[in-house]
């Protein structure tokens, strides 16, 4: 009886860490939805950082903290989806490369704001716009 409970707990723990994709199309749709979520978050950050200094530093910290957490959450959730094929696995790697860059960019901006301010707002806006464009393109291609 005890072995049965242990097996049940282990199975539940593993299921919580990953989820299956039924086929390549299902995986592709999950990837597109993840790209859409991260792309929207990147756009919010782009608008906040490019606001011309109209946002207070404390408010910008909140926006960036929430955005970094959102992108990290999407990366964690999508990273837990098991690709059904090698082709799907490559697609997932492609998406995670971009979303991890977005996470790194947003986290870097948060560090800058915590220290004082965004050092190069125009450069950050350009980088974020490029990431957003890449994510929108990925989303549109795989919807």
């Amino acid at each position: 009886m005890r072995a049965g409970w242990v097996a049940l707990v282990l199975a539940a723990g593993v299921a919580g860490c990953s989820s299956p994709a039924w086929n390549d199309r299902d995986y592709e749709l999950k990837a597109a939805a993840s790209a859409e979520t991260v792309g929207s978050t990147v756009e919010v950050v782009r608008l906040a950082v490019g606001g011309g200094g109209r946002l207070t530093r404390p408010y910008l910290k909140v926006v960036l903290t929430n955005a970094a957490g959102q992108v990290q959450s999407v990366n964690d959730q999508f990273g837990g989806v098991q690709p059904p094929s090698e082709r799907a696995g490559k697609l997932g790697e492609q998406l995670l490369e971009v979303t991890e860059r977005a996470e790194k960019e947003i986290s870097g901006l948060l560090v800058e704001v915590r220290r004082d301010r965004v050092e190069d707002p125009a450069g950050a806006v350009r980088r974020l716009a490029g990431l957003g464009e890449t994510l929108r393109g990925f989303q549109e291609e795989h919807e």
Side-chain angles (χ1 to χ4, degrees), residues 45-56:
V45 171
R46 186 187 69 76
L47 292 171
V49 169
R54 287 178 282 184
L55 297 180
T56 64

Side-chain angles (χ1 to χ4, degrees), residues 37-53 55 59-72 101-113 118 120-132 135-136:
T37 301
V38 173
S40 295
T41 304
V42 164
E43 182 64 13
V44 167
V45 171
R46 186 187 69 76
L47 292 171
V49 169
L55 297 180
Y59 187 77
L60 189 55
K61 280 197 297 190
V62 169
V63 169
L64 292 172
T65 299
N66 290 340
Q70 175 75 22
V71 174
Q72 182 180 23
R101 278 191 2 236
E103 183 178 352
K104 185 176 179 180
E105 179 70 29
I106 293 167
S107 296
L109 291 169
L110 178 57
V111 168
E112 288 181 24
V113 169
V118 175
D120 179 15
V125 166
R126 281 192 304 276
R127 291 188 304 274
L128 290 164
L131 285 167
L135 288 160
R136 273 188 305 283

Side-chain angles (χ1 to χ4, degrees), residues 22-105:
W22 301 111
N23 54 40
D24 281 3
R25 182 65 183 142
D26 184 46
Y27 189 82
E28 191 173 20
L29 291 172
K30 289 178 186 215
S34 296
E36 179 180 20
T37 301
V38 173
S40 295
T41 304
V42 164
E43 182 64 13
V44 167
V45 171
R46 186 187 69 76
L47 292 171
V49 169
R54 287 178 282 184
L55 297 180
T56 64
R57 187 168 157 238
Y59 187 77
L60 189 55
K61 280 197 297 190
V62 169
V63 169
L64 292 172
T65 299
N66 290 340
Q70 175 75 22
V71 174
Q72 182 180 23
S73 177
V74 170
N75 284 342
D76 291 346
Q77 288 176 356
F78 184 74
V81 177
Q82 299 170 342
S85 69
E86 187 175 323
R87 179 184 152 287
K90 288 181 181 178
L91 178 73
E93 290 172 5
Q94 182 184 20
L95 174 62
L96 286 172
E97 179 183 318
V98 179
T99 60
E100 287 171 355
R101 278 191 2 236
E103 183 178 352
K104 185 176 179 180
E105 179 70 29

